[in-house]
Amino acid sequence: MPQVIDHRGGVWSIEVPIPDNPLRHTLVHLLDTGRGPVLVDTGWDDPASWDALDAGLDSLGVRITDIHGVVVTHHHPDHHGLSGQVREASGAWIAMHAADADVVRRTREAEPARWLDYLADKLCRAGAPDEHVAPLRAAREQGRMRTLPGLRAALPDREIVPGELLDLKDRRLRAIWTPGHTPGHVCLHLEEDHPAGLPGHGRLFSGDHLLPGITPHIGLYEDPDDATVTDPLGDYLDSLERVGRLAPAEVLPAHQHAFADAPGRVRELLGHHEERLTGLLDLLAQPLTPWQTAERMEWNRPWDEIPYGSRNIAVSEAEAHLRRLVKLGRAEMLSGTPATYVAL
């Protein structure tokens, strides 16, 4: 049986496992409403995850077929993966921010091989060695892209509009746009008194935006058709400050555990990224590619021990930080391929 926690006031969380992932599970939240139960996220698209979600709901006297709606904090497969299956079983609507809905639509419509070409080219421009790019080329030739998660994620039925209350009978749940982790990530502010009387302004379903002990990945937004130079780290830092000013009594994240003092956690994360940017400036005393920068940054393990897929994520995060330094006028990108950056 998955762990199910009663957060009181008609809110519960269910641990839905993520296969072969150190995060272990997604906390899918169940919200009681006047039109029936609504899920905040659904978990990874996997039979064991589906069984855990079903068992958790059953322990609360809720069937999958009872679900009225699904509110998706962001499009990543550990959050949105089971949404389509829930909708098929129950007829529930699915709501998502337009920016992430665009990602889902783009991914569904693109030829799988095109994504591999795009990712391989992006890694080359970031300075990845040939031996790292070679598996992507091989996967393209062998058609293995079709097995990757998220390629056929469910398209939403409703748009989450920032600043507006969701259409949930007897509940006040307001969407807060918090881009950074994804372009359409949303937090959901339950504008109701805390059931235990904790001081603050309601409760916040924070998705991956604000977690008690993890810094969420901030990488580059993927769109092969858009050459716009985005600043996802800047978006994330601005979003953090908005959430900090909201000062909810309690945060209900999608991983780890519920916690209080959101402003304190926001200050920690702002400080973490400022320290990381300052450390990068020291590295950039000489020109470095994003790959070389990632090799020299501090991660949760030595670079040689980071798995293949996680290195791609690390390089994307390194480049997001480099772009932030350029936008702040503290570094510049030099012309050439691969791209190199140097401190000013």
Side-chain angles (χ1 to χ4, degrees):
M1 281 291 296
Q3 183 178 21
V4 178
I5 296 176
D6 184 355
H7 297 283
R8 301 172 61 182
V11 178
W12 298 263
S13 62
I14 302 168
E15 290 186 356
V16 176
I18 310 171
D20 303 317
N21 190 296
L23 284 175
R24 297 177 50 211
H25 56 256
T26 300
L27 294 174
V28 172
H29 289 93
L30 178 70
L31 179 65
D32 192 24
T33 82
R35 295 192 185 99
V38 169
L39 294 177
V40 177
D41 293 333
T42 55
W44 191 275
D45 185 4
D46 179 81
S49 305
W50 174 262
D51 289 345
L53 177 61
D54 185 47
L57 291 172
D58 185 66
S59 72
L60 298 172
V62 177
R63 297 172 298 175
I64 289 281
T65 54
D66 297 331
I67 299 301
H68 172 63
V70 175
V71 183
V72 182
T73 61
H74 62 296
H75 72 84
H76 286 167
D78 57 323
H79 297 257
H80 181 44
L82 286 173
S83 300
Q85 196 169 342
V86 170
R87 178 171 62 190
E88 183 177 347
S90 65
W93 47 260
I94 301 172
M96 181 184 290
H97 187 281
D100 270 20
D102 285 345
V103 175
V104 172
R105 186 174 297 105
R106 193 164 60 235
T107 305
R108 288 172 57 95
E109 294 174 354
E111 288 293 328
R114 187 171 181 227
W115 280 105
L116 282 174
D117 288 340
Y118 167 72
L119 293 173
D121 180 64
K122 186 175 117 174
L123 283 166
C124 287
R125 286 185 279 109
D130 291 340
E131 59 268 23
H132 185 84
V133 180
L136 290 174
R137 306 290 192 202
R140 184 193 190 285
E141 295 301 319
Q142 298 166 20
R144 283 187 276 125
M145 187 70 173
R146 289 173 294 180
T147 65
L148 296 181
L151 292 181
R152 292 294 178 265
L155 287 169
D157 310 289
R158 299 185 180 185
E159 179 181 339
I160 295 176
V161 180
E164 291 190 3
L165 289 170
L166 277 72
D167 182 21
L168 302 179
K169 183 176 173 57
D170 302 329
R171 308 307 298 247
R172 290 186 58 84
L173 189 67
R174 191 177 303 276
I176 311 296
W177 185 34
T178 50
H181 185 57
T182 71
H185 191 291
V186 292
C187 293
L188 301 154
H189 186 207
L190 191 59
E191 298 179 340
E192 301 168 12
D193 291 340
H194 191 280
L198 295 182
H201 302 101
R203 291 183 280 183
L204 188 75
F205 299 102
S206 66
D208 281 359
H209 182 70
L210 193 61
L211 303 169
I214 301 172
T215 303
H217 166 64
I218 309 298
L220 303 182
Y221 303 152
E222 309 289 359
D223 184 353
D225 297 320
D226 190 351
T228 303
V229 179
T230 58
D231 179 23
L233 180 56
D235 293 341
Y236 177 67
L237 298 176
D238 290 344
S239 300
L240 274 180
E241 292 184 345
R242 284 202 302 276
V243 167
R245 290 192 294 270
L246 192 64
E250 187 176 29
V251 179
L252 303 175
H255 302 289
Q256 297 189 300
H257 55 81
F259 64 99
D261 192 17
R265 181 58 179 151
V266 165
R267 288 192 296 271
E268 290 176 357
L269 289 167
L270 291 173
H272 163 79
H273 284 288
E274 183 56 38
E275 288 179 10
R276 175 158 271 198
L277 290 170
T278 300
L280 281 182
L281 285 176
D282 294 336
L283 293 177
L284 295 177
Q286 58 178 346
L288 296 175
T289 67
W291 182 276
Q292 292 168 332
T293 304
E295 287 181 312
R296 291 161 173 78
M297 290 172 68
E298 290 188 11
W299 305 102
N300 60 0
R301 68 191 91 177
W303 182 258
D304 290 343
E305 298 177 13
I306 296 178
Y308 178 89
S310 297
R311 287 190 182 192
N312 296 340
I313 294 172
V315 172
S316 182
E317 181 146 340
E319 191 163 358
H321 281 74
L322 292 169
R323 287 188 184 185
R324 184 64 186 157
L325 287 173
V326 170
K327 187 163 186 178
L328 292 171
R330 298 160 74 180
E332 66 174 339
M333 185 177 73
L334 305 178
S335 60
T337 303
T340 55
Y341 295 78
V342 65
L344 293 175

